[in-house]
Amino acid sequence: MKIQKRIEILKKETFAMFPDAVTDLLYDNEFQFLIAIIMSAQTTDIQVNKANAEFFKVLKTPEDGLKLWIPEIMEYINTIGFYKNKAKYIHQTCELLIKNHDSTPPKTIDELKELAGVGIKTAKVFLAVTEDAPYLAVDTHVHRVLNRVGIVHTQTPEQTDKKAEKIFSLDDLALLHHTLIFFGRYHCIARKPKCDSCPMTGMCKYYQKNKKSLTWK
Ligand code: SF4
């Protein structure tokens, strides 16, 4: 089956399953959203939300961040992975936002990447949500799904990201941003994909190869 046909099926089926997919992260403004994405690296959104239930009561602006010592930030976020580094990133990002961006998160990938703890994926997630920018946030879920259904054949999320930019149209990228994350997170799960209720078994290379040994059978 050709790649574009696979993309059409993926779009149709995943969007039908998760038509209202939005970010799971909780926040009240764009600054908090940026901080929440920085915190979410290698940590679940649920853990980030739990930490931020208290943290975001005192962190509503970059100026609030500079009033906190880094050890104080660590206290708020010490339930998430890599909290020591992330506390430093949060403090530095607050400083840079005040110094270079009038306390407002910038809206280009290059400017975002100059902030502390912000890589290409963080920047794309931020712009996709705040600007509806046509970026696919290729995390491990999206990387896994696109390989399983035979749309890419890559080894890392970074390789998948580059490939996706070439083969998906801008409209597809915008539409699939949250949908694919949800599909990977809640349906095409890493260890136990729900193939028994998946409409894409016909084209899925992973399913075709592993159907005899899949544990739900
Ligand atoms: S058939 Fe299974 S492995 Fe393939 S996309 Fe569906 S859930 Fe994922």
Side-chain angles (χ1 to χ4, degrees), residues 38-206:
I38 292 172
M39 291 170 65
S40 70
Q42 299 183 58
T43 303
T44 67
D45 290 357
I46 294 170
Q47 285 175 305
V48 172
N49 290 340
K50 270 188 194 161
N52 286 343
E54 287 306 311
F55 187 34
F56 279 177
K57 284 181 188 168
V58 298
L59 186 81
K60 296 181 190 305
T61 65
E63 286 75 9
D64 292 337
L66 280 201
K67 286 182 203 152
L68 297 167
W69 295 103
I70 292 172
E72 287 181 287
I73 299 177
M74 287 182 193
E75 283 280 307
Y76 279 107
I77 68 170
N78 64 13
T79 51
I80 65 169
F82 306 100
Y83 71 93
K84 290 182 183 170
N85 280 342
K86 287 175 183 173
K88 286 180 204 156
Y89 293 153
I90 291 168
H91 201 267
Q92 284 168 18
T93 286
C94 289
E95 215 169 3
L96 289 167
L97 287 173
I98 293 168
K99 193 172 148 208
N100 300 335
H101 300 287
D102 293 329
S103 298
T104 306
K107 292 299 173 81
T108 68
I109 285 186
D110 287 343
E111 288 174 305
L112 284 163
K113 276 171 61 188
E114 285 170 7
L115 301 171
V118 178
I120 183 84
K121 186 175 143 267
T122 303
K124 284 183 171 182
V125 172
F126 181 76
L127 294 174
V129 171
T130 62
E131 300 295 302
D132 274 335
Y135 295 128
L136 202 59
V138 180
D139 61 1
T140 53
H141 301 299
V142 174
H143 170 64
R144 179 175 66 251
V145 169
L146 293 182
N147 273 280
R148 280 180 172 174
V149 298
I151 287 175
V152 300
H153 302 90
T154 51
Q155 302 301 318
T156 65
E158 290 73 30
Q159 289 172 0
T160 302
D161 188 36
K162 283 198 181 128
K163 188 84 184 163
E165 276 185 3
K166 288 187 191 143
I167 57 178
F168 284 93
S169 71
L170 292 183
D171 284 350
D172 291 346
L173 292 172
L175 180 82
L176 287 170
H177 176 86
H178 293 299
T179 310
L180 272 194
I181 292 174
F182 266 52
F183 181 70
R185 190 178 285 169
Y186 301 116
H187 192 93
C188 189
I189 300 159
R191 289 201 183 157
K192 210 170 177 186
K194 299 175 182 173
C195 304
D196 55 335
S197 59
C198 186
M200 293 189 287
T201 50
M203 77 162 180
C204 179
K205 293 196 171 177
Y206 179 89

